[in-house]
């Protein structure tokens, strides 16, 4: 089937079957890289990297050149019209009229979604702030699959800056979808964001257990574990016996340890940075001597700083340079598919991830704004184009998820656009968690950022407003 003209903004833009099909094509590309030299002849890829990059940009560019295509590049906001106050949307329209596909990296979360909305050609997210980095995840999964043949049932530990690292945010969803058990080992104050964990629980339906719940004492332990995510599909000892000692459970070993660096450039204060830096957990030979790591694949998206010692480089368990090298065949396969130069066979019957939840979208003009300061929808140059938009992911406790950056917010006041008998004096607002408010149909829902906003719009409090 053809996946031409699709964009890859988040890892969930590809189903499990599509990822498997892409990997088979990547195997083909790796086996005979020189046979692909005319596949994308005449096509142009624009590579827009507004944040530092070595591997991602160069492997994308190498991939396109190996496919016989050509590359145009901009690597510095300062050297583009964005520096003159041009919006990302305008830039996307223009670049989309020059190139057949755009690869973009940008410091604002959700920037790749905006480029995809406006470019008119396929767009690949090469990293948007702390949000996602789906092609790194493809390289990571490809590496694990090459070494272990499958991902299902593996225990994979994510290590380091889980708060700001975009690679782990894409990876975690993919691991959950492919049925891995995920172990969280974050640095102090660098835990996985709440919205990511919530989504794991609601959308991927696994079980998240904190180590406290599991009687796991980090001080006496093999490594600094905070929590475990168990997929729903695997009947698991831990799931059945919640009180079991994790220490015992972990004796079976960790299949992969995914190390990440402290994302210094994304820390919000120097105090925070100082604290995190001092206590940042290091992976070295001594740690990896533990029995639990005997057969562990040691992974890292790179660049590495001090969190993974160089003495590990010659160790056969170390995978990070392989991960980087796989970037070329994996990205060749992706480019060839999205440019329509190759079709793939996807076994839909075995395709275990096809999004089940189709949340209603909230896009009324209102005072409700994304709570993430780094979201593209909150940037001055972008607000002219970008209207905040949210998925309504829960009505129980009204929860809106920003469509650009996935951060969530919980507004307290709502109204229905079908006010009683259409009479203006009947315009009432209600507490979002009242029984009445939950009955309002999504298409009629009006959400307010505050009571002041509701009143400024001439709504009066109903008896369903908590005093
Ligand atoms: C990562 C990134 O840019 O998010 N690097 C990469 O693309 N391989 C990881 C990082 O910068 O720490």
């Amino acid at each position: 089937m053809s996946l031409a003209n699709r964009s890859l903004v988040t890892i969930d833009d590809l189903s499990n079957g599509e990822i498997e099909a892409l990997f088979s094509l990547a195997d083909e590309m790796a086996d005979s890289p020189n046979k692909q030299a005319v596949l994308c002849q005449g096509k142009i890829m624009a590579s827009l990297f507004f944040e530092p990059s070595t591997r991602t940009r160069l492997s994308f560019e190498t991939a396109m050149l190996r496919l016989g295509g050509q590359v145009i590049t901009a690597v510095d906001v300062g050297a583009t019209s964005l520096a003159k106050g041009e919006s990302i949307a305008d830039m996307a329209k223009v670049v989309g009229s020059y190139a057949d596909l755009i690869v973009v990296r940008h410091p604002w979360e959700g920037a790749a979604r905006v480029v995809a909305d406006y470019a008119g050609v396929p767009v690949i997210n090469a990293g948007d702030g702390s949000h996602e980095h789906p092609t790194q995840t493809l390289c990571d999964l490809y590496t694990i699959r090459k070494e272990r043949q499958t991902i299902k049932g593996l225990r994979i530990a994510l290590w380091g800056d889980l708060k700001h690292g975009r690679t782990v945010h894409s990876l975690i969803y993919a691991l959950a979808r492919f049925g891995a058990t995920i172990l969280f080992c974050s640095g102090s104050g660098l835990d996985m964001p709440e919205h990511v964990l919530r989504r794991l629980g609601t959308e991927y339906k696994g079980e998240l257990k904190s180590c406290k719940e599991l009687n796991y004492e980090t001080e006496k332990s093999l490594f600094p574990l905070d929590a475990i995510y168990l997929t729903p599909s695997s009947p698991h000892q831990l799931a059945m016996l919640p009180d079991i000692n994790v220490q015992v459970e972990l004796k079976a070993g960790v299949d992969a340890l995914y190390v990440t660096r402290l994302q210094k450039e994304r820390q919000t204060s120097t105090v925070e940075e100082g604290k995190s830096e001092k206590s940042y957990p290091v992976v070295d030979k001594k740690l990896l001597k533990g029995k639990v790591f005997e057969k562990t694949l040691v992974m890292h998206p790179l660049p590495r700083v001090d969190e993974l010692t160089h003495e590990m480089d010659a160790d056969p368990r170390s995978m990070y340079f392989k991960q980087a090298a796989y970037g070329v065949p994996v990205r060749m396969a992706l480019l060839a598919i999205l440019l329509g130069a190759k079709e793939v066979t996807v076994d839909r019957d075995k395709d275990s991830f096809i999004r089940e939840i189709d949340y209603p979208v909230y896009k009324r003009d209102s005072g409700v704004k994304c709570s993430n300061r780094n979201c593209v929808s909150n940037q001055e140059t972008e607000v002219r184009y970008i209207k905040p938009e949210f998925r309504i992911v829960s009505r129980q406790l009204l929860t809106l998820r920003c469509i650009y950056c996935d951060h969530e917010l919980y507004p307290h006041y709502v109204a229905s656009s079908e006010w009683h008998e259409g009479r203006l004096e009947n315009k009432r607002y209600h507490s979002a968690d009242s029984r009445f408010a939950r009955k309002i149909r999504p298409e009629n829902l009006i959400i307010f950022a505050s009571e002041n906003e509701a009143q400024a719009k001439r709504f009066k409090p109903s008896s369903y407003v908590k005093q």
Side-chain angles (χ1 to χ4, degrees):
M1 67 181 287
S2 171
L3 303 182
N5 298 321
R6 294 246 296 256
S7 287
L8 177 63
V9 173
T10 125
I11 192 67
D12 283 354
D13 288 332
L14 290 173
S15 71
N16 288 13
E18 288 163 356
I19 292 177
E20 292 288 0
L22 185 141
F23 287 168
S24 304
L25 186 57
D27 288 341
E28 224 179 272
M29 300 282 176
D31 289 346
S32 50
N34 299 329
K35 283 206 192 132
Q36 321 298 334
V38 292
L39 262 186
C40 291
Q41 216 165 35
K43 300 281 185 193
I44 296 179
M45 174 185 99
S47 102
L48 310 177
F49 277 74
F50 303 128
E51 265 194 345
S53 172
T54 306
R55 273 151 295 274
T56 309
R57 179 165 77 88
L58 295 182
S59 62
F60 260 116
E61 296 186 359
T62 306
M64 190 57 178
L65 296 175
R66 286 218 179 272
L67 292 168
Q70 301 198 46
V71 179
I72 53 173
T73 307
V75 288
D76 174 13
V77 171
T80 69
S81 289
L82 292 179
K84 301 180 192 166
E86 182 172 49
S87 70
I88 294 182
D90 277 2
M91 177 205 65
K93 277 190 210 163
V94 172
V95 178
S97 70
Y98 301 156
D100 301 288
L101 178 143
I102 298 175
V103 180
V104 62
R105 170 172 287 189
H106 197 283
W108 294 340
E109 292 168 38
R113 157 85 54 223
V114 178
V115 179
D117 286 348
Y118 287 88
V121 295
V123 171
I124 300 174
N125 181 6
D128 56 338
S130 299
H131 181 219
E132 283 214 36
H133 190 350
T135 64
Q136 180 62 47
T137 291
L138 294 177
C139 300
D140 303 336
L141 297 179
Y142 186 74
T143 308
I144 300 173
R145 217 197 53 152
K146 278 254 167 236
E147 300 295 322
R148 294 283 183 271
Q149 285 70 50
T150 179
I151 291 158
K152 197 175 164 82
L154 299 186
R155 288 157 216 259
I156 300 191
L158 306 181
W159 180 281
D161 189 349
L162 308 188
K163 182 173 179 188
H164 306 100
R166 55 192 171 203
T167 60
V168 281
H169 297 161
S170 294
L171 182 59
I172 195 174
Y173 298 134
L175 292 176
R177 279 165 45 185
F178 278 99
T181 292
I182 308 168
L183 312 171
F184 297 83
C185 315
S186 52
S188 145
L190 299 169
D191 302 341
M192 215 21 111
E194 227 13 77
H195 68 272
V196 177
L197 296 179
R198 224 184 63 80
R199 188 159 161 192
L200 270 188
T202 52
E203 242 142 273
Y204 304 92
K205 303 212 169 63
E207 231 183 307
L208 191 70
K209 293 199 172 282
S210 76
C211 284
K212 252 199 214 133
E213 264 179 274
L214 293 165
N215 297 330
Y216 181 78
E217 292 172 46
T218 290
E219 306 81 61
K220 298 188 205 150
S221 64
L222 304 161
F223 65 112
L225 194 64
D226 318 316
I228 300 189
Y229 171 83
L230 307 160
T231 48
S233 49
S234 54
H236 200 288
Q237 210 184 348
L238 274 174
M240 290 183 281
L241 298 167
D243 288 335
I244 197 169
N245 188 328
V246 187
Q247 197 86 30
V248 175
E249 167 73 13
L250 283 180
K251 288 253 160 68
V254 170
D255 295 286
L257 176 63
Y258 192 92
V259 188
T260 62
R261 77 181 166 95
L262 174 67
Q263 306 280 301
K264 261 183 164 183
E265 69 277 32
R266 304 196 204 287
Q267 306 283 312
T268 43
S269 75
T270 42
V271 183
E272 186 189 341
E273 188 182 312
K275 271 196 218 148
S276 308
E277 204 170 358
K278 266 200 204 125
S279 59
Y280 203 77
V282 173
V283 170
D284 54 15
K285 246 198 165 113
K286 190 167 153 239
L287 176 93
L288 293 168
K289 268 205 181 111
K291 197 158 170 37
V292 68
F293 296 118
E294 213 170 8
K295 293 188 186 128
T296 303
L297 307 174
V298 181
M299 302 180 72
H300 195 307
L302 302 178
R304 148 204 34 204
V305 190
D306 296 320
E307 66 286 345
L308 175 58
T309 54
H310 289 256
E311 55 185 10
M312 281 312 296
D313 294 0
D315 191 295
R317 290 170 293 178
S318 293
M319 290 291 128
Y320 28 98
F321 292 113
K322 267 193 189 170
Q323 267 166 280
Y326 287 144
V328 175
V330 167
R331 291 182 170 112
M332 281 172 81
L334 180 66
L335 292 172
I337 289 175
L338 300 185
L339 285 167
K342 275 278 185 190
E343 295 203 346
V344 287
T345 312
V346 179
D347 188 346
R348 287 286 177 214
D349 293 337
K350 287 203 198 137
D351 207 356
S352 51
F353 182 78
I354 295 175
R355 206 167 250 277
E356 286 166 27
I357 311 173
D358 204 3
Y359 296 115
V361 174
Y362 184 76
K363 43 170 126 180
R364 272 177 208 272
D365 258 331
S366 75
V368 182
K369 302 254 174 308
C370 176
S371 54
N372 172 13
R373 276 203 322 204
N374 202 37
C375 175
V376 69
S377 68
N378 283 326
Q379 304 301 322
E380 232 174 273
T381 46
E382 305 308 312
V383 290
R384 282 167 281 160
Y385 277 93
I386 301 174
K387 272 205 335 209
E389 258 182 57
F390 303 92
R391 294 198 176 84
I392 305 174
V393 296
S394 169
R395 290 296 288 274
Q396 208 54 34
L397 168 67
L398 179 62
T399 309
L400 302 184
R401 181 186 298 154
C402 173
I403 64 148
Y404 298 103
C405 73
D406 289 327
H407 279 239
E408 292 182 341
L409 65 152
Y410 312 96
H412 297 303
Y413 301 101
V414 302
S416 168
S417 58
E418 279 202 316
W419 47 80
H420 189 55
E421 293 171 348
R423 296 218 310 270
L424 286 185
E425 63 271 26
N426 288 342
K427 283 173 83 171
R428 301 277 172 194
Y429 66 92
H430 323 280
S431 289
D433 60 357
S434 63
R435 237 176 340 114
F436 180 79
R438 281 190 221 122
K439 284 195 193 136
I440 302 171
R441 287 215 300 273
E443 61 275 25
N444 295 332
L445 196 63
I446 301 176
I447 303 175
F448 303 108
S450 63
E451 275 195 277
N452 282 350
E453 190 203 348
Q455 289 168 9
K457 291 185 171 154
R458 307 204 169 197
F459 286 80
K460 293 193 196 102
S462 75
S463 55
Y464 295 102
V465 171
K466 281 192 201 138
Q467 293 308 319

